[in-house]
Amino acid sequence: ETVEGKKVAIYNAAVHPKHPLNGLRLTNSTKLHIMQGPITVFDDGAYAGDARIEDLPPGGERLISYAMDLDTEVAPESTGHPERLVSVRIANGVLLASRKYVRETKYVVKNSGDKSKTVLIEFPNDPNWTLVTPKEPAEKTRALYRFAVEAEPGKPAELKVVEERTDLQQFALNNLDDGTIQFYISSKAASEEVKKALARTIELKTAIQQTLVRRQTLEQQIQTVEAEQNRIRQNMAQLDRNSELYNRYVKKFGEQEDQVEKLRTQIAELKEKENQQRKALDEYLLGLKLE
């Protein structure tokens, strides 16, 4: 019986970067099962190549390839696009940033033969990316898209495949530095409510930093005084306790102790203030839910 078939060219860059393969879309138009096995292909009565086919039930289709198509060239060109921030949200102290990525591949098909042909371009079907252009492939398998390109003799044909992917990134606002927060404030993707909340976050974090710096300054002063006291102790050990210099050291030592006591009191107050500021920041951030 006669079995239907349509001649095509099949291009896959992983198989050959330049030339497609001659192929045949074989349809079992009979009521019989065609068993798997080797197939010898003749084109216009001349030997064209060999292929192998799986079991083909009545009405079933198989795409087979059997030889290199040297009359057709395909030139792929990939283009990357900058990532784009599309949305910024805040929920319970977490900043959620959605970024869109776009990638594009252009294929230029040149047919130097004397007949028009259909070129099936096979493209990886990546589940992490969404097909944008073309809207639908001619065929789709678990691992591949197939796009049909009609190639006229001597007329380059083009196919553009565009995909996009959106990723959601999450950041604890407490861990973001002011420069990063400022980046999101200046972004067009952030709403005015989100920008105001981020600006307020910077204000609260700045206040905490100022308190921290003040406390560290006082702690450094204590370290300086303690170093001076160690030096005085060493000098006093070498002096007569009734000498004028010894008494001056004793007086200075007492004054320094009073100074250290005041500094420690101030440091304790600053620690308490810092704890309160951090608590206020945490409560503020946890209460945010903005889009």
Side-chain angles (χ1 to χ4, degrees), residues 118-165:
T118 299
V119 180
L120 294 179
I121 295 180
E122 294 185 335
F123 188 87
N125 178 4
D126 189 336
N128 297 316
W129 290 79
T130 301
L131 181 65
V132 178
T133 305
K135 292 184 178 181
E136 292 292 337
E139 300 175 31
K140 182 179 179 181
T141 69
R142 184 175 300 177
L144 293 170
Y145 294 119
R146 290 194 181 102
F147 303 102
V149 178
E150 299 300 324
E152 300 286 340
K155 296 180 180 180
E158 289 189 3
L159 169 71
K160 183 183 292 185
V161 181
V162 180
E163 298 173 290
E164 67 179 23
R165 184 186 85 235

Side-chain angles (χ1 to χ4, degrees), residues 19-256:
H19 296 290
L21 300 177
N22 283 317
L24 186 68
R25 186 185 300 283
L26 194 63
T27 302
N28 185 359
S29 53
T30 74
K31 296 181 180 180
L32 304 174
H33 279 77
I34 298 178
M35 294 181 62
Q36 62 178 326
I39 291 178
T40 299
V41 180
F42 291 86
D43 190 353
D44 289 335
Y47 172 77
D50 293 307
R52 184 175 180 83
I53 193 171
E54 301 297 324
D55 290 331
L56 190 58
E61 286 189 355
R62 291 290 185 273
L63 189 63
I64 63 173
S65 56
Y66 52 88
M68 189 78 69
D69 181 2
L70 299 177
D71 289 336
T72 307
E73 295 183 9
V74 181
E77 180 182 347
S78 297
T79 304
H81 294 268
E83 66 179 65
R84 183 165 60 91
L85 185 64
V86 293
S87 70
V88 181
R89 296 183 290 122
I90 300 176
N92 302 325
V94 177
L95 185 144
L96 300 98
S98 294
R99 285 181 164 80
K100 180 174 288 187
Y101 301 85
V102 177
R103 63 183 184 184
E104 175 184 322
T105 304
K106 184 176 74 172
Y107 296 89
V108 178
V109 182
K110 295 180 180 180
N111 177 9
S112 59
D114 54 7
K115 295 181 180 179
S116 299
K117 63 180 64 178
T118 299
V119 180
L120 294 179
I121 295 180
E122 294 185 335
F123 188 87
N125 178 4
D126 189 336
N128 297 316
W129 290 79
T130 301
L131 181 65
V132 178
T133 305
K135 292 184 178 181
E136 292 292 337
E139 300 175 31
K140 182 179 179 181
T141 69
R142 184 175 300 177
L144 293 170
Y145 294 119
R146 290 194 181 102
F147 303 102
V149 178
E150 299 300 324
E152 300 286 340
K155 296 180 180 180
E158 289 189 3
L159 169 71
K160 183 183 292 185
V161 181
V162 180
E163 298 173 290
E164 67 179 23
R165 184 186 85 235
T166 301
D167 288 348
L168 179 64
Q169 298 175 315
Q170 302 183 34
F171 308 96
L173 276 171
N174 264 338
N175 297 333
L176 291 181
D177 58 72
D178 291 352
T180 302
I181 295 177
Q182 193 62 49
F183 165 78
Y184 288 107
I185 291 176
S186 61
S187 170
K188 295 181 180 179
S191 66
E192 288 302 317
E193 290 77 10
V194 169
K195 291 180 179 181
K196 290 178 181 178
L198 292 177
R200 179 58 179 162
T201 300
I202 290 180
E203 291 177 1
L204 294 173
K205 292 181 68 177
T206 300
I208 294 173
Q209 185 63 27
Q210 290 173 345
T211 302
L212 176 62
V213 170
R214 176 59 180 161
R215 175 171 63 82
Q216 291 174 339
T217 300
L218 297 182
E219 289 172 344
Q220 183 63 41
Q221 290 180 17
I222 289 179
Q223 293 177 4
T224 301
V225 172
E226 289 176 343
E228 177 68 12
Q229 287 182 331
N230 289 333
R231 185 185 66 81
I232 291 175
R233 288 191 186 96
Q234 293 175 3
N235 291 341
M236 291 174 70
Q238 309 297 324
L239 297 174
D240 183 353
R241 294 198 172 201
N242 295 320
S243 67
E244 180 182 353
L245 183 56
Y246 185 90
N247 292 328
R248 285 170 54 192
Y249 278 150
V250 170
K251 182 180 179 181
K252 185 174 183 179
F253 201 96
E255 292 173 349
Q256 288 177 331

